[in-house]
Amino acid sequence: MSSLLRRRPSPAAVIALLALFVALGGTGYAAVKINGKNLKNGSVTGPKLKKNTLTGKQINESKLGAVPKAKLATTATSATTATSATTATHALSADSTPAAASAASVAGQTIERFSITVANDGAPDSRTVGNVGLVASCAGGLSALEIHNGTAQAAALSAGWVSNAGGPDVAHRFADESFDGADADDIVQHGSGAGTAAVAFADGSVTTIDYGFMDSPQNSGNGCRYFGRAIGG
């Protein structure tokens, strides 16, 4: 046994052992030194990456393409889209009083608004709205409103209003089948309230007036007030 231990290894054994040590050492060295320079471009696939490890630091956002739906947002500055946006802005502004008041006609119907205040026992105030005339007065602080045919045509008038002269509400109905240019019919008889009058003319046109009224006591003693709109065409 001692003679075997004292035998020197053969050159072949020495070379084999040396090759084994180099191989083992080289593998460890490679495991420590592998980096991006040692990898072939495109050799690492998605499944080899650990999930949720990439962040914005590893990604160049400028190289990314547009998200499919996001392409629609880039057209927001185009002429067509800008025109639509302008139209939408105008649609919103139509809700405001100045914009609504500027509308001269809707679907061929002319719209006129009116507001009349007559002092207590003041001179009557005459206005023309559509194809009819209005005469507002305030004798003794009591409201009174007359309507006139503003044309030379034959016409028919139908009116209804509700008024309150310090007591219960009272409903009124009035009709004039021969409402010609000489007629002057009442569509307010004292108090405060609201009503609607419609005048149908021989040419087929119709003027409708929606109106409100306040006598002087209801108007804080500041005379009688009349307001509304006439629609005709």
Side-chain angles (χ1 to χ4, degrees), residues 116-119 121-127 134-139 144 146 226:
I116 307 169
T117 299
V118 181
D121 297 317
D125 190 331
S126 300
R127 302 288 179 89
L134 298 176
V135 178
S137 60
C138 191
E146 292 180 347
Y226 310 86

Side-chain angles (χ1 to χ4, degrees), residues 29-111:
Y29 180 84
V32 174
K33 294 297 183 179
I34 288 178
N35 55 39
K37 293 181 179 180
N38 305 118
L39 298 177
K40 181 180 179 181
N41 292 341
S43 62
V44 180
T45 61
K48 297 297 183 180
L49 300 176
K50 187 176 180 180
K51 293 182 178 180
N52 302 321
T53 57
L54 294 179
T55 67
K57 291 183 178 181
Q58 289 81 34
I59 299 174
N60 186 349
E61 293 89 345
S62 64
K63 300 296 183 180
L64 297 177
V67 177
K69 291 295 184 182
K71 292 180 179 179
L72 298 176
T74 62
T75 63
T77 57
S78 67
T80 301
T81 308
T83 301
S84 299
T86 301
T87 302
T89 300
H90 289 316
L92 291 175
S93 67
D95 291 333
S96 64
T97 301
S102 67
S105 63
V106 177
Q109 299 293 304
T110 300
I111 301 175

Side-chain angles (χ1 to χ4, degrees), residues 183-202:
D183 282 344
D185 295 323
D186 291 331
I187 56 174
V188 166
Q189 292 176 334
H190 312 322
S192 299
T196 298
V199 181
F201 295 94

